């Protein structure tokens, strides 16, 4: 309802959606390149850094513009306080990991508000995004670790999958403090999301079969039958009233 | 509703059901033999290959015939696009694993449409099928791997169970890229399905005990009571109308 | 309803309940002793064997008596076919493990029918029973195994817990074929049951807090309001009828 | 309802809430210090012990005062029997672990009764508390163990997370009997609670998207429509009655 009224904000959100998602894809590439190719030249790394700062800046700018266009600024800031943190944090502490998490938060929040995007698309996208980010982040941290066992992208992706499904073979696991913090973040968000995905797969299998919610159906059937009953009753009363008002007229 | 109208398609599906499932069982044997007995003679392997191609061909033919018999061809292709992929893919890329996955998809899709098959039968069959296929596929890939730890069928089946229940001891786990891809496929579909099975086992344990959905019951009771009330009311009004129409007649 | 009519069967079930559960406890001891103390004397082992056969025999006899007392014998056999298997199997194949599983099935089935036992008691008892049986059975099989890693009762119980919660550290895991078959049985039934237990613990934590089923409450409120409305309406119509029949009397 | 009547008890509970929670935080510090710093001086250890006994005593006193203030003493003791155990147990057996578990129970019970605390706060707090307690308790037990693999607080916290999410890599796991007993307690309560947390994260992701409970909505819509129908009908009958009573007056 609010979105229809504040048309300037809505128009901005609709027009900037595609460019921003293109920037998000660019960000993913810029984040992946220095991790997948650790022997990349200094120039390549510099460009990746520029792209990362640029994309974060674009999303931060988008937040500021939307804040300027909205009528209810207090509510906007209050309900999107995590976005505000994501806009301010990289300014205070320019750690690469913080900047990446901040951009992920801004992209995810923006995607959730895009009314064209459906739940399945969003959850699927979030799972793929978390898998990619988790694998790359853990790889970048654990590759250098002395006793680590995650050395290739292959291992890192495999580790992400076994973690998010809670299978947890333990053939690969982070050993550094930072790697484990990333792992805990991936567990809490990833397990929840992949749970939604597996539940959907189960539902897809079951889809064409009869559901067992017999109780609910009996309810609905009872209500429908009852409504029919009441409709008949009303017709009855209407007929009664017609005959009732006809009687006095006959008498005159 | 559609199925009753398109009787030619339905009749085809009913008559071909049993032969196709017999072919599916034959396919499972032909897929298992060269993996369980890697020292089988070339002739045996050749026959297994012929059976695999033949069964896939029979299911592809079944798809084409059903497409020819249906009235709504566009809808048929659109809702069963995965079947179309499973029919076309082995023609383009004749990899064994692709052909097997394609046949599994066609068998599973066909079983889901057979109206005689109940949900529990289907899910149970799918779990057994996935366990068998996952064990054999991982065994065939991992047996040759240098650092692999899945060398016997026993190990492979045990690994499938610990994976699909998400227990994941890690005493056996795939190490090759292809083995891990198969494992991810098994995880996503298998965990979802075995979740349905364990949920059913839990329900079977609970079955004879009272359910706690008191709220729903109170609702149904309230509606039933209400319907009784309305029925009484209607009888009342009917009686009223009868006496009302009797009054004018008495007066004449 | 059937139970009230067939009073002979019900009386038998009520009177034999306590002795049978005492026998089940005795059976558990007789099963545990030779596994926990593998150096027990031959005489002790012989007595344990006698007790096991005796308890199984008592439950088999109970099945036969209940079958004799019931009116609907076909239905009794059909719905309790698993009990029949549990009664017949140890006669055909006197393997110790089969006899134990058979007795477990008979005890579980009997406990489920005892109307005094509540769901939470039953599920709790079944979890404890499965944990105990699983630990002992795996210990008896794996202790002798050459490459095994479950050598003490402590390890076996710990393994059962990590398996039934699906944590699966993998520090202890069965390595023999028979041990893995027991493990799969424990996984499928134990995970399902312990899932019920953890769900109950979660509910116990939440218990005193408001539930979120606002939708359902609004429904019930709507129905109650509606019933009140209909009750008022009925009073209205009754009054109308009274005044309607009063009118002709006044006119006379 | 009862709480509004028994105002003395409620006033006590409201006034003591903040001091008690401050004491609970102090307890956590006093419990952590000797485990995190095993080389702390004897004096520090003595003070920590004093604080622990003091906080437990404060909660025990709170229980006694609330019992004295309540009207229904029997019901109070019956419904809070676990609190009574937590008050009496450390007097009989002054083991440190027992005292800690007893204090945790009293804190948790007190927090659940504080009407200001919402479910999410409570569950979140309980998860953090269990993680902290589980990590510290396992660390204190396992650090001394000969074959143990949990030697630092870092490892212990990581182990708690992999256990409560049921991922269970197995890179760290308790090996002593006492450590495993703590682990089982953490599994049963922690898995249940973290399941609630992950379910909430999943719901937070999904939050702004449409829910699929179409059936329930259709029900509510049906009931609302039906109520409208009945309201119209009642108006009809009222009008009928008015015209019915108007007729005799016209005739006079």
């Amino acid at each position: 309802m609010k979105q229809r009224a504040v048309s300037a904000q809505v128009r901005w959100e609709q027009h900037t959606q595609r460019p921003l998602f293109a920037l998000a894809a660019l960000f993913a590439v810029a984040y992946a390149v220095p991790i997948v190719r650790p022997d990349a030249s200094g120039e390549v790394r510099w460009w990746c850094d520029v792209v990362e700062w640029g994309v974060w800046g674009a999303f931060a700018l988008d937040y500021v513009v939307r804040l300027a266009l909205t009528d209810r600024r207090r509510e906007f800031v209050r309900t999107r306080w995590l976005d505000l943190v994501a806009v301010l944090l990289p300014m205070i502490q320019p750690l690469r990991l913080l900047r990446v998490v901040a951009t992920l938060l801004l992209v995810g929040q923006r995607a959730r508000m895009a009314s064209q995007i459906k739940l399945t698309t969003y959850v699927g996208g979030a799972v793929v995004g978390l898998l990619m980010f988790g694998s790359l982040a853990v790889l970048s941290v654990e590759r250098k670790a002395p006793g680590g066992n995650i050395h290739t992208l292959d291992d890192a992706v495999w580790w992400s999958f076994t973690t998010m499904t809670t299978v947890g073979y333990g053939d690969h696991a982070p050993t550094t403090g930072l790697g484990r913090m990333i792992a805990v973040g991936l567990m809490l968000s990833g397990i929840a999301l992949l749970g939604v995905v597996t539940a959907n797969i189960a539902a897809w299998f079951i889809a064409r079969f009869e559901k067992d919610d017999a109780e609910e159906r009996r309810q609905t059937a009872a209500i429908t039958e009852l409504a029919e009953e009441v409709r008949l009753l009303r017709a009855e009363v209407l007929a009664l009233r017609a005959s009732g008002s006809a009687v006095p007229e006959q008498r005159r």
Side-chain angles (χ1 to χ4, degrees), chain A residues 17 30 44 48 52 55 57 61 69 85 90-91 103 114-115 121 125 137 144 162 173 192 210 212 219 225 232 238:
Chain A
Q17 189 177 309
V44 168
C48 289
E52 279 180 35
V55 174
L61 187 72
L69 289 176
V85 170
M91 290 182 184
T103 313
S115 53
T121 317
K144 317 162 203 167
T162 57
E210 272 204 341
D212 283 341
Q219 267 190 20
E225 192 200 316
L232 283 171
L238 272 172

Side-chain angles (χ1 to χ4, degrees), chain A residues 172-237:
Chain A
H172 300 283
T175 53
T176 64
L178 193 56
R180 286 173 172 178
M181 280 170 65
I182 297 168
V184 166
L186 189 71
M187 279 175 199
L188 289 182
S189 52
I191 290 168
L193 274 183
L194 208 73
V196 176
V197 171
T198 40
N200 270 316
I201 294 175
W204 180 77
F205 269 103
I206 292 169
R208 309 259 171 94
F209 290 96
E210 272 204 341
K211 284 186 184 169
D212 283 341
D213 41 342
E215 178 76 2
E216 275 192 312
R217 274 188 201 167
R218 244 174 291 137
Q219 267 190 20
T220 313
I223 293 168
T224 312
E225 192 200 316
L226 170 57
E228 187 53 40
E229 195 89 35
V230 172
R231 222 161 279 131
L232 283 171
L233 163 65
R234 197 181 162 199
E236 206 86 56
V237 174

Side-chain angles (χ1 to χ4, degrees), chain A residues 7-38:
Chain A
S7 54
Q9 192 195 346
V10 171
R11 250 180 294 137
W12 168 268
E13 284 178 1
Q14 281 173 348
H15 280 99
T16 52
Q17 189 177 309
R18 281 173 186 233
L20 282 176
F21 287 162
L23 283 177
L26 197 66
F27 181 87
V29 173
Y31 179 61
V33 164
I35 295 172
V36 177
R37 297 203 176 277

Side-chain angles (χ1 to χ4, degrees), chain A residues 88-236:
Chain A
L88 294 179
L89 207 65
M91 290 182 184
I92 302 160
Q93 177 62 277
L95 259 177
R96 201 188 177 208
L97 197 61
L98 273 184
R99 200 169 63 232
V100 170
V101 170
T103 313
L104 278 183
L105 281 174
L106 288 168
V107 171
Q109 204 70 5
R110 197 63 166 72
R112 204 165 63 190
M113 271 175 322
S115 53
Q116 296 94 317
I117 295 175
K118 286 192 176 169
L119 178 58
T120 42
T121 317
Y122 181 74
V123 169
V127 166
V128 171
L130 273 171
L131 265 172
M132 225 192 77
F133 162 72
S135 305
L136 289 170
V138 158
L139 179 61
S140 73
V141 169
E142 291 290 315
R143 184 154 46 192
K144 317 162 203 167
N149 48 46
I150 300 176
H151 296 293
T152 65
L153 185 61
D154 206 57
D155 286 354
V157 171
W158 172 243
W159 167 81
S160 295
F161 261 110
T162 57
T163 299
M164 284 171 77
T165 52
T166 79
V167 170
Y169 294 121
D171 49 353
H172 300 283
T175 53
T176 64
L178 193 56
R180 286 173 172 178
M181 280 170 65
I182 297 168
V184 166
L186 189 71
M187 279 175 199
L188 289 182
S189 52
I191 290 168
L193 274 183
L194 208 73
V196 176
V197 171
T198 40
N200 270 316
I201 294 175
W204 180 77
F205 269 103
I206 292 169
R208 309 259 171 94
F209 290 96
E210 272 204 341
K211 284 186 184 169
D212 283 341
D213 41 342
E215 178 76 2
E216 275 192 312
R217 274 188 201 167
R218 244 174 291 137
Q219 267 190 20
T220 313
I223 293 168
T224 312
E225 192 200 316
L226 170 57
E228 187 53 40
E229 195 89 35
V230 172
R231 222 161 279 131
L232 283 171
L233 163 65
R234 197 181 162 199
E236 206 86 56

